[in-house]
Structures are given as C-alpha cells and as structure tokens.
Amino acid sequence: MGEFLPYGHQWIDDNDVEAVVRVLKSDFLTQGPLVQRFEEAILETCGAKHCVAVANGTAALHIAVAALELDSGVEGITSPITFVASANCLVYNGITPKFADIDPRTYNIDPQAIQERITERTRVIIPVHFAGQPADVKQIAQGARKRGITIIEDAAHAIGSIDENGSRIGDCRNSDMTAFSFHPVKNVTTGEGGAITTNDDALFRKLQLLRNHGITRDPVLLSQNPGPWYYEMQEIGYNYRLTDLQAALGVAQLSHLDAFKKRRREIVARYNQAFSNLPHLTVPFERTGNDSCFHLYVVQIDFDAMKTSRTQIMELLRKQGVGTQVHYIPVHTQPFYRKRFGYRDGDFPVAERYYGRALSLPLFPKMSDGDVGRVIDAVRSIVEG
Ligand SMILES: *Cc1c(COP(=O)(O)O)cnc(C)c1O
C-alpha cells in the first residue's frame, strides 16, 4: 500500500487480472458461462442449494424482498446500524420500514428488540451481520418463522463468516434468503456485484426471473411454445444481471477468501491486543463461538470524556496517514426516513449512542504488518494523549 491507509481496500492479484482478461478475449462479456460458475463457487463457499448472482448487493436485497410478493403497507424490520440499502429494499417494494435497536456489545440487531417490534403486519425481518459478525439469526427465526415471517439475511459484510452453531453465513439454515455484496471494500469483490442464496426452489426461480426483466425461455415454465424465438415476460423484473467479466473476477476472488479471512482475523487480534487497555476506547466484542470474517474494525471512543471530537480525531489520524470512517449513521435519522416515516432522534437510543462513539479503523487483508503497526502507533499516540 501507499502512504495513506483507507478503512478498506480490495486485493487483486495477477491471477484475478488474468481471469478477467480471458473473458475479455472470449465470446461472451455477459450472459456467458462464468456467472453460473461464480454461483457454484458461492454455493461451495456457503453451502446453500441455490444462488442467483446479480449486479450489486442493493439489487440482491431489492429482488429478495420483491420475490416475496408482499402487499404494500405491510411492515419489515431491520437494524438502524447498517447501510441504507438494508432498509431501502423495503421501501422499493412499498413495505413500511421498521427498526429494532441493536445489542450494545455486538452492534447487531437485538433479537429481543425485534420481538417487541413485531406486529400482525410484520412480514419480513432483515438481520444484518454487522462488520462480519454473525447476527443471532437462529434466535430471531425462532420467534418469527412460526408466525409466517420471512427472514432475509443481509450478509454484505459476512461472506466467509461462521456462526456459533457452525453454520456458514449464506447456508440459509435459519432463513429464507441471504444477500451478499461484492463491492470493492467488502470481503471479496467483483467491482460491483451481489448474490442471493436460498434453499427454496420457488424463490430461486422467482429470483432468476426478477434478475432478467421477468423474462423466461425455459420450456417448462412457458404457457405455450410456438417456436424457437419465443420467450415470455411473466413478472415485472429488472436488468440486474452480473457480467461475465465480474463473475470471472468473483471466482478468482473466492479462491482467496480463506487467506483473506485469516489475515483479517490476524489484524483484528493485533488491534484488540494493542487497544484493549487504552482509556476511553472499547474494542469490538466477538460472541463466543462466532468465527467472523471481520469486514470492519469498529472501535467505540468516548470523545466527550477525552474532551475532543470525532472530527478532530479523524483529522489527527488522517495526518498520520490513517483513514477512518463511520459505520453507520443510524438509518432512521436520515432525512428521507424522518420525512417519509416520521422517525426522530431518540427512537433507537442504543444505536444512536453507538453512532456517537463509532470509528472504523483500516482493516483489509493487503495491509502489511508495518501498516498495522502504523495504525496502532497512531491510535495509541492520539488516544493516550
Ligand atoms: C454494501 C452494503 C449493501 C449494498 O451493497 P452494494 O453492492 O453496494 O449495492 C447492503 N447492505 C450492507 C450492510 C452493505 O454494507
């Protein structure tokens, strides 16, 4: 890496580049054979029955919710501490976004808080595996699924993570679908890209339709078959296809996932050790048994007690070449969510308190030991004062 360390960064090696170049020299830049190969590689990684690769993680969430064909006006629940896409996918589908507060230790949505938010109109819950740490989907599902509520995991941060029951994120053992993102800051990348895994045959077929304008050519699905030109548009779908260029990169990237995960966990362990005795700073907590492919390293800093501000700390770190970011501004406090749904400050106090103290430090597998040491020295010098 150069002098400046961003909070996240991709790692593309020569094999990855060659995989993409091979597609560029082939007959199909899109709708060729690589997309299915990528889907199979995701299934090998996650252990689910079906996979549908799409243009990005937001598209994955959009059609996962669309596939449920819910009436508008029903409710969905997600975490306030997530990227806006986890809630926007509900709004795209005319579903009222509700939130349940987070667990103050894991920063994941709190299953108990979900219980308190469920109404007779709740149809879908979208737990987010924040920072790569598995949310307690098993417990969330126990209360919800017997009430007919669908669970869609937002695993944009969490490909490669394993939960405390030994379940790989994406195997959908306790959920209906899992959505992934392959944006360059995520654990593996295709540039832009996403995918949905599911064990449900009907949802799988619906997702394939929705990815491609709602169009099918499958003779088994057609209502008539007058000739070889014939296709039917059976749903209102989208062009959410992934290209073969991206899929080739995805296959190559997935072959690095184990090594990436190992390196991410090494860096997290070094940070935890270096920072655990610092005043005013709390290191991330990992639930016993979770084996997280950490996507983010988020510390909580008591800026007030330090008599400073987050802006000032970010500026001081930036001067030492250390990039930081804040994940995330609570979604319910975004102007759109306030205006459209009437959310206010104070609605989700644990999330808001978390937000007030959150800071993500650089975490990506390409960081050298020297880079990690540089972050540690910079944070120590600033937080110890
Ligand atoms: C990145 C992200 C998304 C959206 O993925 P894109 O590929 O950027 O569209 C959704 N949810 C979460 C939690 C994310 O971090």
Side-chain angles (χ1 to χ4, degrees), residues 289-366:
N290 277 358
D291 181 17
S292 312
C293 186
F294 282 102
H295 163 57
L296 298 172
Y297 187 83
V298 181
V299 292
Q300 292 270 286
I301 300 177
D302 190 344
F303 301 106
D304 292 342
M306 286 178 65
K307 302 198 170 31
T308 183
S309 69
R310 177 157 50 197
T311 304
Q312 199 168 2
I313 298 275
M314 289 178 84
E315 198 47 44
L316 287 169
L317 286 168
R318 207 180 59 78
K319 282 195 186 125
Q320 298 198 42
V322 176
T324 55
Q325 199 29 286
V326 177
H327 299 93
Y328 290 95
I329 302 164
V331 178
H332 69 282
T333 68
Q334 292 290 355
F336 171 83
Y337 281 87
R338 291 177 191 264
K339 224 171 19 199
R340 176 81 76 87
F341 301 104
Y343 287 112
R344 289 177 307 203
D345 293 339
D347 283 344
F348 301 97
V350 185
E352 291 167 33
R353 183 184 148 89
Y354 158 86
Y355 164 59
R357 298 176 171 204
L359 196 65
S360 302
L361 301 179
L363 175 63
F364 52 94
K366 206 176 184 182

Side-chain angles (χ1 to χ4, degrees), residues 366-379:
K366 206 176 184 182
M367 288 176 80
S368 67
D369 288 344
D371 293 333
V372 178
R374 195 145 63 83
V375 175
I376 288 172
D377 291 345
V379 170

Side-chain angles (χ1 to χ4, degrees), residues 56-59 61 82-83 85-86 128 154 156-157 180-183 186 192-194 295 328:
N56 54 67
T58 305
L61 287 164
T82 184
F83 185 55
S86 312
V128 181
D154 181 341
H157 298 183
F180 293 102
S181 164
F182 307 116
H183 182 276
K186 307 293 165 77
E192 297 281 353
H295 163 57
Y328 290 95

